Amino acid sequence: MNPTEDRDWFPGRSRVADPGMRLFCLPHAGAGASAYRGWQQSLGADVEVVPVHLPGRESRITEPPEADIRRLAERLAQPLARRAAGLPYAVFGHSMGALLGYELTRLLAGAGRPPALLIASGASAPHLPIAADPPVHLMPEQELLAHLGELAGTPRSVLSDQDLLEMVVPALRADFAACETYVHEHRPPLSVPLLVLGGDADPGVPVDSLDPWSEHTGASTTVRVWPGGHFFHHENREDVMELIAKETHKARQAQQAQEQGQKAPQEQEGPRAGQQPGPASPEETVRRYYTLVDAQDFTALVELFAPTAVYRRPGYEPLVGRKALAEFYGGERVILQGRHAITELVAADGKVAVNGRFSGTVKGGKEVDLKFADFFTLDAEGRFAARDTFFFAPMV
């Protein structure tokens, strides 16, 4: 243990006397711990906000920045575990911070001290490539600054001050290099719940790159999308803070119940090795439904419905029973091919509400990009008793 090194990552004293949980916050590329100024006031006294100070910026400006995500995670893991000090904790990361949070969570879980929740904000799922041509970390300075201006996350006062730029650009380049040279390694899913946040107009993180985060955990995944670009959480701060407060509280309760040998209400369990694939909860049944639709596996899809299930669509006669559903999905269906991306899913008491986005081809060969909203009701055996499509309209 090196107390001096630990203080480098987490300088200052806690402003919360008796927190029930700690929230470690990892910054986006080029940013520092000050990115989370004001979060403590928003989240209240139950959660202690612990901004992480990375090398190469702010109070650690004299240190060389780290240009490798995994090395940075390895350096941070033990100090963070010590700072958690036995309390339940969550990890929040935005953009580069989300990727760092993912690798950090893997290390902490492997050491037997996983977070109760990982919050990935403004970042595509880690196995998806980061599209940048040319790579941002290799851009000439003026192009780099123009790119930062487009993202709207760096104050103009910084972009126009040459002295400040000389201090922040090295960390910026290192951070972008860390992300752009990252190579995902296929490993078994985590057992940590995920909360995935995004903006519907983020130029570098498409909405359909958020739902694939669910492939990296056997626990629950909640995806929420807000209006806005890469820094949507600034534009929707109050709503984002409210959701984080709610989800961290729920995750703390679930982890504490698990440690006491109890099963928390609505706790989700992922598949174990050797289990047959199948839904373990209403939420997972619905997610599987969309996966089967996209794969056009209609035989398996229809099995998710109860024999007398009803599918209602505005303006159409209801479809009743498996035979009618099989004919619809296998023959007269409207969607020919494409991909569904869930942007919001809420499950409670055998009912699941979904907002999402569909991109693909519909009847007649028309290419579409649509929003949809569905409501599923499940019976006692976990099969769909009803599906209602509330709206299915063009993106605006």
Side-chain angles (χ1 to χ4, degrees), residues 91-300:
V91 173
F92 175 95
H94 182 73
S95 195
M96 178 197 77
L99 188 57
L100 174 59
Y102 166 73
E103 286 294 330
L104 185 62
T105 297
R106 285 206 161 275
L107 290 173
L108 292 161
R113 185 71 169 92
L117 177 69
L118 170 60
I119 308 173
S121 171
S124 300
H127 64 283
L128 300 178
I130 296 175
D133 187 19
V136 176
H137 74 281
L138 298 179
M139 286 180 176
E141 184 165 307
Q142 290 308 309
E143 290 183 28
L144 174 63
L145 299 181
H147 177 76
L148 296 176
E150 291 173 2
L151 293 178
T154 305
R156 293 187 179 276
S157 58
V158 173
L159 297 177
S160 61
D161 188 315
Q162 191 57 43
D163 290 335
L164 285 175
L165 288 175
E166 289 179 4
M167 291 190 289
V168 302
V169 165
L172 273 167
R173 289 197 186 280
D175 290 352
F176 277 111
C179 295
E180 292 170 340
T181 60
Y182 173 82
V183 178
H184 178 258
E185 294 179 0
H186 179 72
R187 289 161 288 185
L190 296 162
S191 58
V192 176
L194 292 178
L195 174 60
V196 183
L197 314 178
D200 65 1
D202 188 333
V205 184
V207 170
D208 61 7
S209 72
L210 301 176
D211 196 55
W213 272 98
S214 63
E215 299 176 26
H216 297 280
T217 185
S220 63
T221 302
T222 301
V223 179
R224 289 291 302 271
V225 178
W226 276 276
H230 192 57
F231 292 94
F232 64 89
H233 57 306
H234 294 168
E235 304 165 47
N236 303 275
R237 180 184 174 114
E238 184 175 336
D239 290 340
V240 172
M241 291 292 100
E242 181 179 350
L243 178 64
I244 290 175
K246 173 185 172 183
E247 293 298 320
T248 50
H249 178 74
K250 185 168 72 174
R252 185 185 80 184
Q253 287 187 317
Q255 188 179 70
Q256 288 176 334
Q258 186 179 40
E259 289 173 354
Q260 293 168 5
Q262 302 170 353
K263 185 174 176 63
Q266 300 181 355
E267 183 181 356
Q268 309 294 323
E269 290 185 354
R272 300 177 186 273
Q275 277 187 324
Q276 292 298 315
S281 68
E283 177 182 358
E284 291 176 358
T285 302
V286 169
R287 290 187 182 278
R288 187 175 180 222
Y289 165 80
Y290 291 114
T291 300
L292 293 172
V293 171
D294 293 347
Q296 299 191 42
D297 187 351
F298 303 122
T299 301

Side-chain angles (χ1 to χ4, degrees), residues 289-290 292-293 297-305 325 329 384:
Y289 165 80
Y290 291 114
L292 293 172
V293 171
D297 187 351
F298 303 122
T299 301
L301 182 154
V302 171
E303 289 299 316
L304 297 179
F305 288 86
L325 289 165
Y329 283 107
F384 298 137

Side-chain angles (χ1 to χ4, degrees), residues 290 293-294 334-343 356-362 366-372 392-393 395:
Y290 291 114
V293 171
D294 293 347
V334 176
I335 294 172
L336 299 182
Q337 64 82 30
R339 186 181 186 283
H340 291 78
I342 297 172
T343 54
R357 179 174 178 170
F358 169 78
S359 299
T361 308
V362 297
K366 183 180 179 182
E367 297 288 332
V368 296
D369 189 11
L370 307 171
K371 282 183 178 178
F372 67 88
F392 202 77
M395 295 286 288

Side-chain angles (χ1 to χ4, degrees), residues 52-89:
V52 178
H53 292 244
L54 300 180
R57 67 215 73 201
E58 294 183 339
S59 62
R60 304 181 69 179
I61 191 67
T62 59
E63 300 177 44
E66 180 60 74
D68 185 286
I69 289 289
R70 288 196 178 89
R71 283 203 300 266
L72 188 55
E74 289 167 359
R75 292 175 60 184
L76 175 57
Q78 290 188 14
L80 188 148
R82 288 191 289 266
R83 181 65 176 82
L87 279 181
Y89 71 96

